[in-house]
Amino acid sequence: MLRRVAFVLGLAVLAAVAGVAPMTRAQGVDPTVFESSGDPGFDAWRSDFARRVIMAGRSPEVVRSVLSRAAPDPRVVQADQNQPEFVRPVWDYIDRAVTPRRITDGQAKRAENAALFSAIQAKYGVDADIIAGIWAIETNYGAAPLNYDAVNALATLAAEGRRRAQFEGYLVALIQMVERGYAGPTELKSSWAGALGQPQFMPDIYLQDAVDWDGDGKRDIWTNTGDALASIANYLARRGWSPGDPVFDEVRLPTKFDYALADGTMRSIAEWEGFGVTRLDGAPWSPATRALQAQLFLPAGAEGPALVLFQNFRSIRAYNPSDRYALAVSLLARGYAGRGGIVASWPRYQGALQRADMIELQQLLAAKGYDSGGADGMFGSNTRRAVRAYQQAEGLPADGWPTRALLDRIRGAPAPAVVNPIEADRDAAADLRSKASIRELQGHLNRLGFAIGPPNGLVGPKTRAAIAAFERRMGLSPTGRATTFILQRARTAVKAGR
Ligand code: CA
């Protein structure tokens, strides 16, 4: 180490004396002088960076082997500047991430690597289906092409300068990966942002958490399935994964529930039961589960599904700090295991608040004294808190969930003529024609507690009254019409047990 510093200091003195003329190979190679990339700004940053990391103790040979091939990648700058303005609603994200095709692909991958998955699950205690779910979303089970060279991607973002310290840090980690022989400099394939291999680890995470499953000395998360999957498992195991515990349960909330309880606070399931929360499928929680801590989560506000999230959900969220990401991974895992997804319907009629709407909402809330910590257009915990405080003051369900209706209300705009898209669907649906389908509807209505007597396949006053009551229960205006829509809803309600 001392010798290396002395060597570099010697070079620095020599460079100061001789100017910056590159030395020839015969004179010994200055590891901080590179063939030009064609971009003078990049070249200047690269030589300076190389000098600094060698001074800090990195191997001059490795620094040179990593950085000599580096060149700015214009696609990276473009991707970095091209952050989406469009905010996808959570149900839209889930629809795209959790497809039947992806579930069957995952089941095939699980079968193909059955011994590997069970060995990894045995060693790390992490549910193999969750590992497969992360693998799916990160790189589509390793099939997604990694079209970027990590050195170029990270060097481009470091040289560009806005987040120089952060990306130089990643490059230092990348150099250490090569120094330790975990990976070769030409194997470092990544996303445009420098996320590596099948698990999409940033280099610092790779150094901490990637593992060499097959014991060949390399942590090959690019082409070795065992290394890739064990690295994902190790990451979760080191972030609080609790073997054998559930990830989430869908729940039913009592009427007149205080939605402000869904504020992220962890409480035992027994405490949640005290608030009237029950499993949606009606099954009781086991004594062991009743002792577990969980938070109540309304991924689309009070009008959408309700979930309790256990510690294992939080471990998944450590992989990518996004609730919808962790939810998609968990739903894929359920899918592989042949378990159903979320039963309650998403409030798709709400639409999505776009970034500009969110900024306006944050500004209007701040003007009314509900500070969301700056109007940045991002929906985070501060905005959730500000929305909740406003809702509480206004006597609204305090779910902390911003909707277009809420924005209109804060704007003080007159309430728009209410067009409930669910009612529009209902009104467009065809009347039930066959006696069999009417009998089926009558059976469902009986099971839902609208006692109309034995199904007779005829729509009489009792059936119409029961349909109207069922419509009111769904929050719809009553029509009493026996339609395909009502039959579908009744089936779903019976399945969900409500
Ligand atoms: Ca290996």
Side-chain angles (χ1 to χ4, degrees):
M1 173 79 80
L2 279 177
R3 224 139 58 118
R4 185 181 296 155
V5 171
F7 167 73
V8 172
L9 284 176
L11 281 180
V13 170
L14 208 59
V17 172
V20 289
M23 284 178 270
T24 64
R25 184 164 285 277
Q27 292 168 299
V29 177
D30 178 346
T32 68
V33 175
F34 303 94
E35 197 177 313
S36 173
S37 69
D39 177 334
F42 182 89
D43 291 348
W45 164 80
R46 177 171 53 176
S47 288
D48 178 59
F49 173 67
R51 194 170 294 124
R52 284 184 281 120
V53 294
I54 291 169
M55 289 293 282
R58 301 273 62 82
S59 150
E61 296 74 30
V62 173
V63 168
R64 190 162 182 84
S65 76
V66 168
L67 293 180
S68 60
R69 301 174 305 106
D73 186 338
R75 296 174 305 160
V76 170
V77 177
Q78 201 171 22
D80 188 40
Q81 289 168 351
N82 201 12
Q83 303 287 0
E85 273 301 296
F86 177 73
V87 182
R88 206 183 283 296
V90 57
W91 47 86
D92 200 6
Y93 174 88
I94 297 290
D95 286 349
R96 284 159 188 257
V98 187
T99 61
R101 169 73 193 272
R102 204 173 233 175
I103 289 172
T104 51
D105 284 355
Q107 288 168 329
K109 288 284 175 189
R110 289 276 282 106
E112 200 179 299
N113 301 282
L116 179 63
F117 271 108
S118 51
I120 289 173
Q121 178 169 318
K123 171 154 185 193
Y124 296 97
V126 177
D127 182 346
D129 287 323
I130 294 291
I131 300 169
I134 289 178
W135 194 26
I137 296 201
E138 294 300 339
T139 50
N140 203 18
Y141 310 107
L146 297 173
N147 289 327
Y148 294 83
D149 178 297
V151 177
N152 291 345
L154 296 169
T156 300
L157 292 167
E160 191 256 352
R162 257 183 314 128
R163 287 160 292 165
R164 175 161 293 171
Q166 182 187 356
F167 283 92
E168 285 187 349
Y170 294 140
L171 276 170
V172 171
L174 207 66
I175 290 163
Q176 288 174 291
M177 288 164 50
V178 177
E179 279 179 351
R180 297 182 195 177
Y182 297 155
T186 56
E187 294 165 347
L188 306 169
K189 298 296 172 211
S190 73
S191 71
W192 69 264
L196 303 166
Q198 300 188 30
Q200 291 285 281
F201 282 168
M202 292 309 287
D204 55 336
I205 296 295
Y206 177 103
L207 276 183
Q208 284 174 43
D209 296 303
V211 296
D212 172 17
W213 175 257
D214 65 354
D216 68 348
K218 299 184 83 175
R219 299 178 181 183
D220 179 5
I221 61 171
W222 292 269
T223 65
N224 185 298
T225 308
D227 284 8
L229 299 183
S231 295
I232 294 172
N234 184 46
Y235 182 95
L236 294 178
R238 295 179 63 181
R239 280 162 189 80
W241 182 271
S242 180
D245 284 354
V247 175
F248 79 86
D249 276 324
E250 187 169 2
V251 295
R252 186 208 313 266
L253 305 178
T255 46
K256 297 203 174 166
F257 183 75
D258 178 8
Y259 289 96
L261 292 167
D263 64 352
T265 305
M266 296 289 270
R267 295 182 173 84
S268 72
I269 288 295
E271 282 177 82
W272 287 119
E273 286 182 320
F275 287 113
V277 177
T278 54
R279 272 175 64 148
L280 189 65
D281 60 13
W285 276 298
S286 71
T289 306
R290 292 184 78 236
L292 293 178
Q293 297 282 309
Q295 75 173 88
L296 180 64
F297 178 51
L298 307 170
E303 294 167 35
L307 314 172
V308 287
L309 311 178
F310 297 93
Q311 169 54 39
N312 284 344
F313 190 94
R314 295 186 158 203
S315 298
I316 301 168
R317 202 163 43 191
Y319 208 100
N320 178 326
S322 149
D323 291 319
R324 52 179 66 187
Y325 173 90
L327 188 54
V329 168
S330 315
L331 288 170
L332 284 170
R334 285 190 178 214
Y336 305 143
R339 298 173 64 195
I342 288 179
V343 174
S345 15
W346 293 104
R348 294 173 191 268
Y349 54 86
Q350 286 180 354
L353 283 188
Q354 296 308 313
R355 193 116 186 243
D357 301 322
M358 195 64 83
I359 290 171
E360 186 188 351
L361 178 68
Q362 289 167 328
Q363 287 167 341
L364 290 170
L365 283 170
K368 287 186 180 292
Y370 306 101
D371 189 14
S372 59
D376 59 1
M378 307 294 280
F379 178 52
S381 53
N382 288 333
T383 305
R384 202 185 284 269
R385 233 187 330 269
V387 169
R388 184 173 287 125
Y390 171 81
Q391 289 170 321
Q392 279 169 332
E394 296 283 307
L396 300 168
D399 60 1
W401 179 251
T403 60
R404 195 157 290 283
L406 187 84
L407 176 59
D408 284 341
R409 184 187 174 109
I410 299 180
R411 277 174 178 154
V418 178
V419 181
N420 182 332
I422 294 187
E423 288 186 355
D425 284 353
R426 187 258 326 257
D427 296 343
D431 286 318
L432 294 179
R433 275 197 284 267
S434 79
K435 279 199 164 190
S437 57
I438 293 167
R439 268 200 300 273
E440 184 194 343
L441 174 61
Q442 289 170 322
H444 292 324
L445 290 169
N446 276 330
R447 271 188 287 280
L448 292 167
F450 307 103
I452 55 173
N456 60 5
L458 300 170
V459 183
K462 270 188 184 170
T463 302
R464 274 197 289 274
I467 293 169
F470 177 53
E471 289 175 305
R472 276 190 219 98
R473 188 191 284 186
M474 290 189 290
L476 305 178
S477 61
T479 65
R481 275 179 63 218
T483 61
T484 52
F485 176 95
I486 295 294
L487 176 58
Q488 189 55 47
R489 288 292 164 136
R491 276 182 194 146
T492 309
V494 166
K495 200 171 140 205
R498 52 187 173 166

